[in-house]
Amino acid sequence: MIDALIILDDDNSPRGMVKTIPYLCRAKFQPVSGFKIEQASEASMLVMDLSLNSEANVSFIRKLFRILPDKPKIVFASRSDRQEIVQACAIGGATILGRAESKCVINLSLRKIFRDLGNPFYRVEANAAAAAAMRVDSLYADITQSAIVEAPLPESGILACARNVIDAVHGQGVDSWMDVVQKHHSHTYCHSMMVSGYAAAFGEELGLDTETINILVHAGLLHDIGKVRIPLSVLDKPGELDEEECGLVKRHPEFGREILSSQANMDERIIEVAYSHHEYLDGSGYPQGLRGDRISPLVRIITICDIFAALTEERSYKQYYSRRVAYAILLEMGAKLDRELLKKFRPVAFRSEFGELRRTVKDINARKLAVSA
Ligand SMILES: [Fe+2]
Ligand SMILES: [Fe+2]
């Protein structure tokens, strides 16, 4: 099951803001000529990015909407094209959006559909971590969409995002943060929130000062921003990537550095993390094959958080590991990761179990007291 099936004209790639949708939820593009009805049944919503000046397209949409009356639908039209708007209204039964709509409108429309569909992210009980995750939802969507359409990244949005992550992890603990963000429909959101959440908890565990924790969390949020330049057909490809595709994916640190360097006031340490988070201490990483001391402590911290998040992220369509197995996998990476740091990451990785252990010990002691009294 995917979130959105986006049906396109055969000779067009997604237009305007349509291309940001797959970064806000799990979506697939489908040219209209190869469309099969089963694909529509397997998607939670349908998105039409078809020219509405074509009669064939309009009757295709009408027929599809008749077959699937209850499925949420979005129809894109060009606001400057009167005929398209008239056609979109005449089709009915769908949310109509302009191709040049603001990021916020696209995001709110999707969010409303997810909410109406009963998406678990929007059903979490109203605790402080959930409230923070919800605030970060639209802030982070705005950051990602800006990167996709090559607009300046919203500085105040990034700041607010980081603040919310730090406060939620500090106040409610890393586990409640992970519980909430894992229910989100977007892989991009989920991964970035997990990495920055672990970075906040790890920074605190290491006793780092507030400013450094702040940089770490910013770096966690933005470390994979370069992936917006990699085609979805490659990023979401089921199964093995070929050599060329692999080479392209490995360029995301370089793309990330480019995107972040072009922003005013971007801290060099955040750019460095985006560029070097796939480097390993033994020189086997990429893009530069850096070794040992040439990899800064901040990069090493994010690399641990990044791999741990990727391994433990619960997605229905990929294998994921328990925290125990994920931590064992990190240990098995041997000389690639910083052993001392990895040791110190243990209480962050097993925070809930440590919490449970503490509670059990307290419980046993309390019972002992009760017996002796
Ligand atoms: Fe990455
Ligand atoms: Fe990552």
Side-chain angles (χ1 to χ4, degrees):
M1 196 80 183
I2 57 166
D3 295 319
L5 183 71
I6 307 172
I7 305 179
L8 307 165
D9 285 316
D10 288 344
D11 49 355
N12 264 327
S13 40
R15 287 170 279 179
M17 294 305 289
V18 182
K19 57 177 180 260
T20 70
I21 293 177
Y23 294 89
L24 306 176
C25 64
R26 214 148 56 90
K28 208 177 143 191
F29 291 118
Q30 175 60 53
V32 64
S33 66
F35 168 80
K36 290 192 181 66
I37 189 70
E38 304 85 65
Q39 293 174 296
S41 317
E42 284 165 11
S44 305
M45 79 177 88
L46 299 175
V47 179
M48 304 288 145
D49 183 23
L50 292 164
S51 164
L52 302 178
N53 293 320
S54 143
E55 261 179 50
N57 281 347
V58 172
S59 61
F60 164 81
I61 297 173
R62 284 216 163 102
K63 192 171 160 203
L64 185 58
F65 284 15
R66 263 200 309 276
I67 300 171
L68 298 163
D70 299 326
K71 195 152 302 251
K73 304 160 189 97
I74 294 178
V75 171
F76 276 92
S78 297
R79 292 237 180 259
S80 54
D81 186 330
R82 227 179 102 72
Q83 201 192 331
E84 277 218 328
I85 295 293
V86 170
Q87 284 291 15
C89 295
I91 290 167
T95 305
I96 301 168
L97 293 176
R99 292 196 174 89
E101 210 71 79
S102 75
K103 291 172 275 182
C104 181
V105 170
I106 305 279
N107 189 27
L108 284 174
S109 308
L110 286 179
R111 197 196 297 193
K112 182 182 178 312
I113 293 176
F114 283 118
R115 206 185 288 260
D116 292 347
L117 286 169
N119 185 287
F121 181 75
Y122 301 105
R123 275 195 278 119
V124 284
E125 77 272 29
N127 60 34
M134 216 79 89
R135 283 194 292 276
V136 173
D137 179 20
S138 50
L139 293 170
Y140 190 71
D142 188 20
I143 298 168
T144 317
Q145 287 170 304
S146 303
I148 296 164
V149 299
E150 295 180 14
L153 302 186
E155 215 175 307
S156 58
I158 298 173
L159 261 174
C161 227
R163 191 71 266 149
N164 274 288
V165 176
I166 293 170
D167 289 349
V169 170
H170 181 76
Q172 285 75 49
V174 69
D175 287 334
S176 21
W177 180 248
M178 296 302 156
D179 283 351
V180 183
V181 299
Q182 292 233 42
K183 293 186 175 75
H184 198 275
H185 40 270
S186 152
H187 167 73
T188 318
Y189 170 96
C190 190
H191 180 64
S192 305
M193 292 312 138
M194 287 181 77
V195 175
S196 47
Y198 281 127
F202 198 7
E204 232 179 82
E205 179 68 31
L206 292 168
L208 300 178
D209 59 85
T210 318
E211 199 262 341
T212 313
I213 293 178
N214 207 15
I215 292 292
L216 264 183
V217 173
H218 275 79
L221 287 169
L222 300 171
H223 75 286
D224 270 340
I225 198 87
K227 285 193 175 168
V228 301
R229 293 212 189 146
I230 304 194
L232 283 172
S233 52
V234 175
L235 276 186
D236 289 348
K237 184 179 171 182
E240 295 268 299
L241 298 179
D242 65 32
E243 210 175 306
E244 198 181 320
E245 293 163 337
C246 228
L248 193 57
V249 171
K250 285 188 167 180
R251 290 188 69 191
H252 79 271
E254 177 192 329
F255 297 148
R257 183 177 64 165
E258 270 174 36
I259 294 170
L260 298 179
S261 308
S262 64
Q263 307 299 315
N265 310 322
M266 187 55 70
D267 191 294
E268 281 301 321
R269 291 167 290 180
I270 299 171
I271 303 173
E272 188 196 4
V273 168
Y275 190 45
S276 303
H277 67 278
H278 286 286
E279 299 286 0
Y280 291 138
L281 296 177
D282 62 0
S284 63
Y286 64 91
Q288 297 184 93
L290 297 180
R291 276 176 182 273
D293 288 349
R294 296 204 51 211
I295 305 174
S296 74
L298 290 192
V299 172
R300 297 176 191 204
I301 291 171
I302 294 291
T303 301
I304 290 175
C305 298
D306 184 31
I307 305 171
F308 192 72
L311 290 170
T312 54
E313 200 181 317
E314 295 176 21
R315 310 304 282 186
S316 54
Y317 53 92
K318 77 164 183 74
Q319 188 183 9
Y320 59 89
Y321 300 93
S322 69
R323 291 175 176 208
R324 194 158 289 283
V325 174
Y327 190 74
I329 293 174
L330 289 179
L331 285 175
E332 272 171 25
M333 289 177 73
K336 291 180 189 298
L337 302 176
D338 186 315
R339 301 289 288 186
E340 281 308 304
L341 275 177
L342 194 50
K343 236 189 267 169
K344 291 176 182 156
F345 185 67
R346 204 179 143 82
V348 178
F350 301 122
R351 187 128 289 172
S352 56
E353 291 172 35
F354 271 80
E356 246 164 56
L357 191 67
R358 269 201 293 272
R359 274 196 298 280
T360 315
V361 171
K362 246 167 100 183
D363 207 33
I364 291 169
N365 287 340
R367 258 184 262 155
K368 269 191 206 154
L369 270 176
V371 170
S372 60

